Amino acid sequence: RSGLAEQPAASALLLVDGFARQHVMLALQFTDLEATAGWADRLRQLVDPAAMPGLAKVLAAGAFDPGEGEPGDFPGDEFEFGLGLLLDGIEALVARATR
């Protein structure tokens, strides 16, 4: 019903399905707070700023650090953000296909 042909519609479905599956795995990983504590700090030790300046800048900004006093809803927030991007992209694809 989207207006997409069968192949792009199936590809969009597989993309959303894969995204959702990966985020279930991410959420399961982050349920063990003890195992994930300090994850960003360990990553900072491994990342060479000269080789990966973009990632080094993100880490320095604290983008992967928990909020003050609150662990936050990292997997949930990331799921909503990513799903929104995917759906916006699919919406743009549908708009181009139905012009």
PDB file of all heavy atoms in Angstrom, residues 39-57:
ATOM      1  N   TRP A  39      32.250   1.482  29.603  1.00  0.00           N
ATOM      2  CA  TRP A  39      32.414   1.113  28.195  1.00  0.00           C
ATOM      3  C   TRP A  39      33.005   2.258  27.382  1.00  0.00           C
ATOM      4  O   TRP A  39      33.956   2.064  26.633  1.00  0.00           O
ATOM      5  CB  TRP A  39      31.062   0.674  27.624  1.00  0.00           C
ATOM      6  CG  TRP A  39      31.082   0.351  26.177  1.00  0.00           C
ATOM      7  CD1 TRP A  39      31.514  -0.809  25.607  1.00  0.00           C
ATOM      8  CD2 TRP A  39      30.657   1.188  25.098  1.00  0.00           C
ATOM      9  NE1 TRP A  39      31.382  -0.747  24.235  1.00  0.00           N
ATOM     10  CE2 TRP A  39      30.862   0.479  23.895  1.00  0.00           C
ATOM     11  CE3 TRP A  39      30.130   2.475  25.031  1.00  0.00           C
ATOM     12  CZ2 TRP A  39      30.548   0.997  22.659  1.00  0.00           C
ATOM     13  CZ3 TRP A  39      29.819   2.990  23.786  1.00  0.00           C
ATOM     14  CH2 TRP A  39      30.028   2.263  22.621  1.00  0.00           C
ATOM     15  N   ALA A  40      32.479   3.451  27.556  1.00  0.00           N
ATOM     16  CA  ALA A  40      32.979   4.605  26.800  1.00  0.00           C
ATOM     17  C   ALA A  40      34.421   4.924  27.181  1.00  0.00           C
ATOM     18  O   ALA A  40      35.228   5.282  26.321  1.00  0.00           O
ATOM     19  CB  ALA A  40      32.083   5.824  27.018  1.00  0.00           C
ATOM     20  N   ASP A  41      34.750   4.763  28.463  1.00  0.00           N
ATOM     21  CA  ASP A  41      36.135   5.008  28.893  1.00  0.00           C
ATOM     22  C   ASP A  41      37.096   4.016  28.244  1.00  0.00           C
ATOM     23  O   ASP A  41      38.185   4.393  27.805  1.00  0.00           O
ATOM     24  CB  ASP A  41      36.257   4.916  30.415  1.00  0.00           C
ATOM     25  CG  ASP A  41      35.553   6.071  31.122  1.00  0.00           C
ATOM     26  OD1 ASP A  41      35.474   7.172  30.531  1.00  0.00           O
ATOM     27  OD2 ASP A  41      35.087   5.868  32.261  1.00  0.00           O
ATOM     28  N   ARG A  42      36.685   2.760  28.171  1.00  0.00           N
ATOM     29  CA  ARG A  42      37.536   1.752  27.519  1.00  0.00           C
ATOM     30  C   ARG A  42      37.684   2.050  26.036  1.00  0.00           C
ATOM     31  O   ARG A  42      38.767   1.901  25.462  1.00  0.00           O
ATOM     32  CB  ARG A  42      36.972   0.355  27.743  1.00  0.00           C
ATOM     33  CG  ARG A  42      37.146  -0.120  29.181  1.00  0.00           C
ATOM     34  CD  ARG A  42      36.826  -1.582  29.362  1.00  0.00           C
ATOM     35  NE  ARG A  42      35.477  -1.965  29.016  1.00  0.00           N
ATOM     36  CZ  ARG A  42      34.407  -1.851  29.811  1.00  0.00           C
ATOM     37  NH1 ARG A  42      34.547  -1.331  31.013  1.00  0.00           N
ATOM     38  NH2 ARG A  42      33.230  -2.249  29.420  1.00  0.00           N
ATOM     39  N   LEU A  43      36.612   2.491  25.423  1.00  0.00           N
ATOM     40  CA  LEU A  43      36.671   2.833  24.002  1.00  0.00           C
ATOM     41  C   LEU A  43      37.598   4.021  23.766  1.00  0.00           C
ATOM     42  O   LEU A  43      38.374   4.037  22.807  1.00  0.00           O
ATOM     43  CB  LEU A  43      35.260   3.138  23.484  1.00  0.00           C
ATOM     44  CG  LEU A  43      35.085   3.275  21.982  1.00  0.00           C
ATOM     45  CD1 LEU A  43      35.596   2.042  21.247  1.00  0.00           C
ATOM     46  CD2 LEU A  43      33.628   3.528  21.637  1.00  0.00           C
ATOM     47  N   ARG A  44      37.557   5.003  24.667  1.00  0.00           N
ATOM     48  CA  ARG A  44      38.458   6.156  24.558  1.00  0.00           C
ATOM     49  C   ARG A  44      39.930   5.721  24.569  1.00  0.00           C
ATOM     50  O   ARG A  44      40.755   6.301  23.887  1.00  0.00           O
ATOM     51  CB  ARG A  44      38.222   7.149  25.697  1.00  0.00           C
ATOM     52  CG  ARG A  44      37.037   8.030  25.514  1.00  0.00           C
ATOM     53  CD  ARG A  44      36.948   9.071  26.658  1.00  0.00           C
ATOM     54  NE  ARG A  44      35.633   9.636  26.689  1.00  0.00           N
ATOM     55  CZ  ARG A  44      34.599   9.170  27.406  1.00  0.00           C
ATOM     56  NH1 ARG A  44      34.751   8.147  28.208  1.00  0.00           N
ATOM     57  NH2 ARG A  44      33.425   9.744  27.350  1.00  0.00           N
ATOM     58  N   GLN A  45      40.236   4.698  25.355  1.00  0.00           N
ATOM     59  CA  GLN A  45      41.610   4.205  25.428  1.00  0.00           C
ATOM     60  C   GLN A  45      42.041   3.528  24.127  1.00  0.00           C
ATOM     61  O   GLN A  45      43.221   3.528  23.796  1.00  0.00           O
ATOM     62  CB  GLN A  45      41.756   3.212  26.587  1.00  0.00           C
ATOM     63  CG  GLN A  45      41.582   3.845  27.948  1.00  0.00           C
ATOM     64  CD  GLN A  45      41.529   2.810  29.066  1.00  0.00           C
ATOM     65  OE1 GLN A  45      41.482   1.610  28.831  1.00  0.00           O
ATOM     66  NE2 GLN A  45      41.518   3.300  30.296  1.00  0.00           N
ATOM     67  N   LEU A  46      41.104   2.958  23.413  1.00  0.00           N
ATOM     68  CA  LEU A  46      41.427   2.213  22.194  1.00  0.00           C
ATOM     69  C   LEU A  46      41.459   3.071  20.938  1.00  0.00           C
ATOM     70  O   LEU A  46      42.152   2.741  19.981  1.00  0.00           O
ATOM     71  CB  LEU A  46      40.405   1.090  21.984  1.00  0.00           C
ATOM     72  CG  LEU A  46      40.379   0.002  23.052  1.00  0.00           C
ATOM     73  CD1 LEU A  46      39.201  -0.932  22.825  1.00  0.00           C
ATOM     74  CD2 LEU A  46      41.686  -0.764  23.056  1.00  0.00           C
ATOM     75  N   VAL A  47      40.699   4.154  20.930  1.00  0.00           N
ATOM     76  CA  VAL A  47      40.556   4.968  19.720  1.00  0.00           C
ATOM     77  C   VAL A  47      41.750   5.901  19.565  1.00  0.00           C
ATOM     78  O   VAL A  47      42.077   6.675  20.458  1.00  0.00           O
ATOM     79  CB  VAL A  47      39.232   5.763  19.751  1.00  0.00           C
ATOM     80  CG1 VAL A  47      39.167   6.783  18.632  1.00  0.00           C
ATOM     81  CG2 VAL A  47      38.055   4.809  19.660  1.00  0.00           C
ATOM     82  N   ASP A  48      42.378   5.825  18.420  1.00  0.00           N
ATOM     83  CA  ASP A  48      43.486   6.717  18.070  1.00  0.00           C
ATOM     84  C   ASP A  48      42.887   7.955  17.407  1.00  0.00           C
ATOM     85  O   ASP A  48      42.339   7.858  16.306  1.00  0.00           O
ATOM     86  CB  ASP A  48      44.444   6.000  17.115  1.00  0.00           C
ATOM     87  CG  ASP A  48      45.577   6.883  16.633  1.00  0.00           C
ATOM     88  OD1 ASP A  48      45.693   8.041  17.087  1.00  0.00           O
ATOM     89  OD2 ASP A  48      46.351   6.402  15.785  1.00  0.00           O
ATOM     90  N   PRO A  49      42.958   9.123  18.058  1.00  0.00           N
ATOM     91  CA  PRO A  49      42.363  10.335  17.491  1.00  0.00           C
ATOM     92  C   PRO A  49      42.896  10.683  16.099  1.00  0.00           C
ATOM     93  O   PRO A  49      42.170  11.245  15.286  1.00  0.00           O
ATOM     94  CB  PRO A  49      42.708  11.426  18.501  1.00  0.00           C
ATOM     95  CG  PRO A  49      42.932  10.704  19.782  1.00  0.00           C
ATOM     96  CD  PRO A  49      43.524   9.378  19.388  1.00  0.00           C
ATOM     97  N   ALA A  50      44.146  10.326  15.818  1.00  0.00           N
ATOM     98  CA  ALA A  50      44.695  10.613  14.485  1.00  0.00           C
ATOM     99  C   ALA A  50      44.057   9.724  13.422  1.00  0.00           C
ATOM    100  O   ALA A  50      43.835  10.158  12.289  1.00  0.00           O
ATOM    101  CB  ALA A  50      46.204  10.424  14.491  1.00  0.00           C
ATOM    102  N   ALA A  51      43.756   8.486  13.791  1.00  0.00           N
ATOM    103  CA  ALA A  51      43.167   7.544  12.832  1.00  0.00           C
ATOM    104  C   ALA A  51      41.653   7.694  12.722  1.00  0.00           C
ATOM    105  O   ALA A  51      41.080   7.450  11.660  1.00  0.00           O
ATOM    106  CB  ALA A  51      43.515   6.109  13.231  1.00  0.00           C
ATOM    107  N   MET A  52      41.001   8.076  13.822  1.00  0.00           N
ATOM    108  CA  MET A  52      39.535   8.182  13.862  1.00  0.00           C
ATOM    109  C   MET A  52      39.127   9.483  14.534  1.00  0.00           C
ATOM    110  O   MET A  52      38.548   9.479  15.629  1.00  0.00           O
ATOM    111  CB  MET A  52      38.938   6.996  14.606  1.00  0.00           C
ATOM    112  CG  MET A  52      39.210   5.674  13.980  1.00  0.00           C
ATOM    113  SD  MET A  52      38.429   4.399  14.978  1.00  0.00           S
ATOM    114  CE  MET A  52      39.304   2.967  14.419  1.00  0.00           C
ATOM    115  N   PRO A  53      39.411  10.616  13.899  1.00  0.00           N
ATOM    116  CA  PRO A  53      39.130  11.892  14.560  1.00  0.00           C
ATOM    117  C   PRO A  53      37.650  12.121  14.849  1.00  0.00           C
ATOM    118  O   PRO A  53      37.307  12.722  15.869  1.00  0.00           O
ATOM    119  CB  PRO A  53      39.685  12.935  13.586  1.00  0.00           C
ATOM    120  CG  PRO A  53      39.782  12.235  12.265  1.00  0.00           C
ATOM    121  CD  PRO A  53      40.001  10.789  12.579  1.00  0.00           C
ATOM    122  N   GLY A  54      36.780  11.648  13.985  1.00  0.00           N
ATOM    123  CA  GLY A  54      35.342  11.834  14.212  1.00  0.00           C
ATOM    124  C   GLY A  54      34.862  11.094  15.445  1.00  0.00           C
ATOM    125  O   GLY A  54      34.161  11.653  16.293  1.00  0.00           O
ATOM    126  N   LEU A  55      35.252   9.832  15.567  1.00  0.00           N
ATOM    127  CA  LEU A  55      34.861   9.044  16.732  1.00  0.00           C
ATOM    128  C   LEU A  55      35.502   9.604  17.996  1.00  0.00           C
ATOM    129  O   LEU A  55      34.861   9.674  19.050  1.00  0.00           O
ATOM    130  CB  LEU A  55      35.239   7.573  16.541  1.00  0.00           C
ATOM    131  CG  LEU A  55      34.882   6.626  17.675  1.00  0.00           C
ATOM    132  CD1 LEU A  55      33.402   6.704  18.048  1.00  0.00           C
ATOM    133  CD2 LEU A  55      35.274   5.199  17.312  1.00  0.00           C
ATOM    134  N   ALA A  56      36.757  10.028  17.906  1.00  0.00           N
ATOM    135  CA  ALA A  56      37.429  10.616  19.070  1.00  0.00           C
ATOM    136  C   ALA A  56      36.681  11.865  19.549  1.00  0.00           C
ATOM    137  O   ALA A  56      36.526  12.079  20.758  1.00  0.00           O
ATOM    138  CB  ALA A  56      38.874  10.958  18.729  1.00  0.00           C
ATOM    139  N   LYS A  57      36.195  12.668  18.626  1.00  0.00           N
ATOM    140  CA  LYS A  57      35.456  13.885  18.982  1.00  0.00           C
ATOM    141  C   LYS A  57      34.127  13.534  19.657  1.00  0.00           C
ATOM    142  O   LYS A  57      33.741  14.161  20.650  1.00  0.00           O
ATOM    143  CB  LYS A  57      35.222  14.720  17.722  1.00  0.00           C
ATOM    144  CG  LYS A  57      34.605  16.056  17.979  1.00  0.00           C
ATOM    145  CD  LYS A  57      34.515  16.867  16.694  1.00  0.00           C
ATOM    146  CE  LYS A  57      33.900  18.215  16.949  1.00  0.00           C
ATOM    147  NZ  LYS A  57      33.801  19.018  15.724  1.00  0.00           N
TER     148      LYS A  57
END
